[in-house]
Coordinates of all heavy atoms in Angstrom, one line a residue:
H1 N 78.6 90.5 88.0 CA 77.3 90.3 88.6 C 76.5 91.6 88.7 O 75.4 91.7 89.2 CB 77.2 89.4 89.8 CG 77.8 88.1 89.8 ND1 77.2 87.1 89.1 CD2 78.9 87.6 90.3 CE1 78.0 86.1 89.1 NE2 79.0 86.3 89.8
G2 N 77.3 92.8 88.5 CA 76.5 94.0 88.6 C 76.6 94.6 90.1 O 75.7 95.4 90.4
I3 N 77.4 93.9 90.9 CA 77.5 94.3 92.4 C 79.0 94.8 92.6 O 79.8 94.5 91.8 CB 77.0 93.3 93.3 CG1 77.9 92.0 93.0 CG2 75.5 93.0 93.2 CD1 77.6 90.8 94.2
A4 N 79.1 95.3 93.8 CA 80.5 95.7 94.2 C 81.4 94.6 94.2 O 81.0 93.5 94.9 CB 80.4 96.6 95.5
H5 N 82.5 94.6 93.6 CA 83.5 93.6 93.7 C 84.0 93.5 95.1 O 84.4 94.4 95.9 CB 84.7 93.9 92.8 CG 85.7 92.8 92.7 ND1 86.4 92.4 93.7 CD2 86.0 91.9 91.5 CE1 87.3 91.4 93.2 NE2 86.9 91.1 92.0
G6 N 84.1 92.2 95.7 CA 84.4 92.0 97.1 C 85.7 92.5 97.5 O 86.0 93.0 98.6
G7 N 86.7 92.6 96.5 CA 88.1 93.0 96.8 C 88.0 94.6 97.1 O 88.9 95.0 97.8
F8 N 87.2 95.3 96.6 CA 87.1 96.8 96.8 C 86.3 97.1 98.2 O 86.9 97.9 99.0 CB 86.3 97.5 95.8 CG 87.0 97.6 94.4 CD1 86.5 97.0 93.4 CD2 88.0 98.5 94.3 CE1 87.3 97.0 92.3 CE2 88.8 98.6 93.2 CZ 88.3 97.7 92.1
I9 N 85.5 96.1 98.6 CA 84.9 96.1 99.9 C 86.0 95.8 101.0 O 86.1 96.4 102.0 CB 83.7 95.3 100.1 CG1 82.6 95.8 99.1 CG2 83.1 95.3 101.6 CD1 81.3 94.8 99.0
F10 N 86.8 94.7 100.7 CA 87.9 94.3 101.6 C 88.9 95.5 101.7 O 89.3 95.8 102.8 CB 88.5 93.1 100.9 CG 89.6 92.5 101.9 CD1 89.3 91.5 102.6 CD2 90.9 93.1 101.9 CE1 90.4 91.0 103.6 CE2 91.9 92.5 102.7 CZ 91.7 91.5 103.5
T11 N 89.1 96.2 100.5 CA 90.1 97.2 100.6 C 89.8 98.4 101.5 O 90.5 98.9 102.2 CB 90.6 97.8 99.2 OG1 91.0 96.6 98.5 CG2 91.5 98.8 99.2
L12 N 88.4 98.7 101.4 CA 87.9 99.7 102.4 C 88.0 99.4 103.8 O 88.5 100.0 104.7 CB 86.4 100.1 102.0 CG 85.7 101.1 102.8 CD1 86.5 102.5 102.9 CD2 84.4 101.2 102.7
A13 N 87.7 98.1 104.1 CA 87.8 97.6 105.4 C 89.2 97.6 105.8 O 89.5 98.0 107.1 CB 87.1 96.3 105.4
D14 N 90.1 97.1 105.0 CA 91.4 97.0 105.4 C 92.1 98.4 105.6 O 92.9 98.6 106.5 CB 92.2 96.3 104.2 CG 93.7 96.0 104.5 OD1 94.0 95.6 105.7 OD2 94.6 96.4 103.6
S15 N 91.7 99.4 104.7 CA 92.3 100.7 105.0 C 91.7 101.3 106.4 O 92.6 102.0 107.1 CB 91.9 101.7 103.9 OG 92.6 101.3 102.7
T16 N 90.5 101.1 106.7 CA 90.0 101.6 107.9 C 90.6 100.9 109.0 O 91.0 101.5 110.1 CB 88.5 101.3 107.9 OG1 87.8 101.9 106.8 CG2 87.8 101.9 109.2
F17 N 90.9 99.6 108.9 CA 91.7 98.9 109.9 C 93.1 99.5 110.2 O 93.5 99.6 111.2 CB 91.7 97.4 109.6 CG 92.9 96.6 110.0 CD1 93.1 96.4 111.3 CD2 93.6 95.9 109.1 CE1 94.1 95.5 111.9 CE2 94.7 94.9 109.7 CZ 94.9 94.8 111.0
A18 N 93.7 99.8 109.0 CA 95.1 100.4 109.1 C 95.0 101.7 109.8 O 95.9 102.0 110.6 CB 95.6 100.7 107.7
F19 N 94.1 102.6 109.6 CA 94.0 103.9 110.4 C 93.7 103.6 111.8 O 94.4 104.4 112.8 CB 93.1 104.8 109.7 CG 93.5 105.4 108.5 CD1 93.2 104.9 107.2 CD2 94.4 106.6 108.5 CE1 93.8 105.4 106.1 CE2 94.8 107.1 107.3 CZ 94.6 106.6 106.1
A20 N 93.0 102.7 112.2 CA 92.6 102.5 113.7 C 93.8 101.8 114.2 O 94.2 102.3 115.3 CB 91.5 101.5 113.8
S21 N 94.5 100.9 113.6 CA 95.7 100.2 114.2 C 96.9 100.9 114.3 O 97.9 100.7 115.1 CB 95.9 98.8 113.5 OG 96.4 99.0 112.2
N22 N 97.0 102.0 113.5 CA 98.2 103.0 113.5 C 97.9 104.2 114.4 O 98.7 105.2 114.4 CB 98.6 103.4 112.1 CG 99.5 102.2 111.5 OD1 100.6 102.3 111.6 ND2 98.8 101.4 110.7
S23 N 96.8 104.3 115.2 CA 96.5 105.5 115.8 C 97.2 105.9 117.0 O 96.9 106.9 117.7 CB 95.0 105.3 116.2 OG 94.8 104.3 117.1
Y24 N 98.1 104.9 117.4 CA 98.8 105.1 118.7 C 100.4 105.5 118.4 O 101.1 105.5 119.3 CB 98.9 103.8 119.5 CG 97.6 103.4 120.0 CD1 96.9 102.3 119.2 CD2 97.0 104.0 121.1 CE1 95.6 101.9 119.8 CE2 95.7 103.6 121.6 CZ 95.1 102.5 120.9 OH 93.8 102.2 121.3
N25 N 100.6 105.9 117.2 CA 101.8 106.4 116.8 C 102.9 105.3 116.8 O 104.2 105.4 117.1 CB 102.4 107.6 117.5 CG 103.5 108.4 116.8 OD1 103.6 108.3 115.6 ND2 104.2 109.1 117.4
E26 N 102.5 104.1 116.7 CA 103.4 102.9 116.5 C 103.0 102.4 115.2 O 101.9 101.9 114.8 CB 103.2 101.8 117.6 CG 103.5 102.3 119.0 CD 103.2 101.2 119.9 OE1 104.1 100.3 120.0 OE2 102.2 101.3 120.6
R27 N 104.1 102.3 114.1 CA 103.7 101.8 112.8 C 103.3 100.3 113.0 O 104.0 99.4 113.6 CB 105.0 101.8 111.9 CG 105.3 103.2 111.7 CD 106.4 103.3 110.7 NE 106.8 104.7 110.3 CZ 106.1 105.4 109.3 NH1 105.3 104.7 108.5 NH2 106.5 106.6 109.0
A28 N 102.1 99.9 112.4 CA 101.6 98.7 112.4 C 101.1 98.3 111.0 O 100.7 99.1 110.2 CB 100.3 98.6 113.4
V29 N 101.2 97.0 110.8 CA 100.8 96.5 109.4 C 99.9 95.3 109.8 O 99.9 94.8 110.9 CB 102.0 95.9 108.6 CG1 102.9 97.2 108.3 CG2 102.8 94.9 109.5
A30 N 99.2 94.9 108.7 CA 98.3 93.7 108.8 C 99.1 92.4 108.9 O 99.9 92.1 108.0 CB 97.3 93.7 107.8
A31 N 98.7 91.6 109.8 CA 99.4 90.4 109.8 C 98.4 89.3 109.3 O 98.8 88.3 108.7 CB 99.6 89.9 111.3
Q32 N 97.1 89.5 109.4 CA 96.1 88.7 108.9 C 94.8 89.5 108.7 O 94.6 90.4 109.6 CB 95.9 87.5 109.8 CG 95.0 86.3 109.4 CD 93.6 86.5 109.9 OE1 93.3 87.1 110.8 NE2 92.7 85.8 109.1
G33 N 93.9 89.2 107.9 CA 92.6 89.8 107.8 C 91.6 88.9 107.0 O 92.1 88.1 106.1
N34 N 90.4 88.9 107.5 CA 89.4 88.1 106.7 C 88.1 88.9 106.8 O 87.9 89.7 107.6 CB 89.3 86.6 107.4 CG 88.7 86.7 108.7 OD1 87.9 87.4 109.2 ND2 89.3 85.8 109.6

């Protein structure tokens, strides 16, 4: 459609979530995301 694929937007959001959720020096992974 000539627009950013939603999967790449999700990936950016997911990566940002990962850096925030791992900021306390406790390894954390995504259990769910929407």
Side-chain angles (χ1 to χ4, degrees):
H1 296 293
I3 58 176
H5 190 291
F8 290 105
I9 297 170
F10 184 97
T11 301
L12 173 63
D14 184 51
S15 289
T16 307
F17 158 53
F19 282 95
S21 65
N22 280 274
S23 63
Y24 297 102
N25 201 26
E26 294 181 81
R27 288 186 181 271
V29 296
Q32 190 266 337
N34 63 40

